Amino acid sequence: MDRRTFLAACAAAGSIGIAPRFAWAQGSHKPVIGLVMKSLANEFFKDMQEGAVKHAQERGDLTLIPVGIQSETDIDGQIAAVENLITRKVDAIVIAPADSRALLSPIVRAMKAGIKIINIDVAFDPASMRKHHVDIAFVGPDNRAGARLSGDVLAKALGRGGKVVIIEGNPGAENGVQRKLGFTDAIAAGGLMLIDSRTGHWETEEANTVFTNMLTAHQDIQGVMAANDSMALGVVKAIDAAGKPGQIKVVSFDNIPAIQPLLKDGKVLATVDQFGAQLAAMGIDNAMKEIAGQHLTGWIKTPVKLITGQSAG
């Protein structure tokens, strides 16, 4: 998506899932913060946007511009969003990058323009940051530890020797990498057998197709570790379509509202809450600290919580 296309899409706003903008009054002295998220088709980012807007309103000392993209892999859309925010001369950008490497170049351009940057949810690649000679503060959870919590539930349910597969997130996103590592940690500790691992790029329908193909190739699958709830929804749909409800156990990550009924009826054993709304709020708060003159670096860790059928809301 080029900049002209992006700006035209912004005018249409809801037509491609881009959140309405909050225009700031001419002459206003409130700092302006752009929040760049991933796909607003994912309930996790819808919740993040709602939490961010509410937090900005409660603070009352800033103007928020929330932006989403068409799909989890719409890297060009995120790049266009960052470039648009640079043109609008915002004071700070809070970003959950769709790709941990590809988004760094436009973010470095924003930094050179004097814009403060806070990275949330998906960490920028450390090697790429060293290459660009930047150290951007990351506000986010321990994805590896969280995935391990979820994976351990599956390991306990299946016992040693259980045959499992992983539905991975976007391989270009650091949180996807870390969640796969957490799942493999649980597999090793629990003595499970990993028989396949493929990406669903965070998307429900793609995960449905990927797992349907896995079932054809491996009819003895006993468990699935999905790197987010959106993909878990696609996996459960495939299990039901194959006539195997209850026969294949699923664990996941994110705790979106749509996963709650599946937790309660046992179609999903566990997920992990990383508190997306609070995550965005913390990103905004830390961006305001940067605007005020603080220089933040390193990892500002946020909590994760295991959610099962017993603890689901």
Side-chain angles (χ1 to χ4, degrees):
M1 180 189 295
D2 62 21
R3 183 177 298 174
R4 181 177 297 177
T5 303
F6 176 77
L7 292 174
C10 287
S15 65
I16 60 169
I18 292 178
R21 305 202 179 286
F22 292 79
W24 56 92
Q26 190 171 11
S28 170
H29 296 293
K30 288 184 179 180
V32 180
I33 297 177
L35 172 63
V36 181
M37 298 164 287
K38 295 197 286 179
S39 173
L40 296 179
N42 184 332
E43 287 187 35
F44 177 78
F45 290 103
K46 288 182 182 178
D47 289 344
M48 177 181 283
Q49 175 187 262
E50 291 172 5
V53 170
K54 181 180 178 182
H55 185 66
Q57 290 172 342
E58 289 173 348
R59 283 189 60 121
D61 60 349
L62 63 98
T63 298
L64 183 70
I65 305 176
V67 184
I69 54 176
Q70 296 184 73
S71 69
E72 296 283 353
T73 56
D74 184 17
I75 296 169
D76 288 344
Q78 270 204 336
I79 291 172
V82 172
E83 291 177 345
N84 178 257
L85 292 170
I86 295 171
T87 300
R88 297 177 72 165
K89 298 180 180 180
V90 299
D91 296 284
I93 294 173
V94 177
I95 182 168
D99 187 285
S100 296
R101 297 173 181 84
L103 267 295
L104 199 52
S105 290
I107 284 296
V108 170
R109 289 196 291 274
M111 295 175 74
K112 289 178 179 178
I115 297 171
K116 305 299 184 183
I117 305 296
I118 294 293
N119 175 203
I120 64 169
D121 184 46
V122 183
F124 283 118
D125 176 60
S128 297
M129 284 201 292
R130 288 192 295 271
K131 180 180 177 181
H132 285 280
H133 307 291
V134 295
D135 186 0
I136 300 169
F138 172 61
V139 178
D142 188 331
N143 282 280
R144 183 170 185 167
R148 170 70 187 269
L149 290 173
S150 187
D152 283 345
V153 172
L154 183 61
K156 183 177 180 181
L158 294 181
R160 302 186 73 83
K163 297 180 179 180
V164 301
V165 299
I166 296 174
I167 307 294
E168 305 169 26
N170 185 348
E174 185 65 17
N175 61 340
V177 173
Q178 292 300 313
R179 289 180 195 181
K180 183 179 179 182
L181 288 172
F183 286 148
T184 56
D185 290 343
I187 288 168
L192 300 177
M193 292 179 58
L194 178 63
I195 59 176
D196 205 347
S197 184
R198 307 181 198 177
T199 181
H201 292 103
W202 305 121
E203 301 282 0
T204 299
E205 292 307 317
E206 183 173 350
N208 177 265
T209 300
V210 167
F211 186 67
T212 298
N213 292 336
M214 282 183 168
L215 275 176
T216 300
H218 311 283
Q219 297 190 16
D220 55 350
I221 295 172
Q222 296 172 282
V224 184
M225 297 177 176
N228 77 348
D229 288 343
S230 292
M231 294 192 298
L233 297 176
V235 167
V236 170
K237 181 179 176 182
I239 291 170
D240 289 345
K244 295 186 176 184
Q247 297 177 40
I248 300 174
K249 303 184 185 302
V250 180
V251 296
S252 185
F253 202 114
D254 273 350
N255 196 34
I256 64 174
I259 211 73
Q260 300 301 309
L262 301 183
L263 286 165
K264 290 176 181 178
D265 67 15
K267 289 188 175 182
V268 174
L269 295 183
T271 188
V272 175
D273 200 335
Q274 59 170 323
F275 307 101
Q278 293 93 321
L279 184 59
M282 287 186 66
I284 290 168
D285 289 345
N286 282 287
M288 289 293 281
K289 290 178 182 178
E290 284 264 358
I291 291 168
Q294 293 189 41
H295 179 56
L296 305 175
T297 62
W299 184 5
I300 302 167
K301 191 176 291 188
T302 60
V304 293
K305 181 181 179 182
L306 180 68
I307 305 294
T308 64
Q310 289 71 39
S311 58

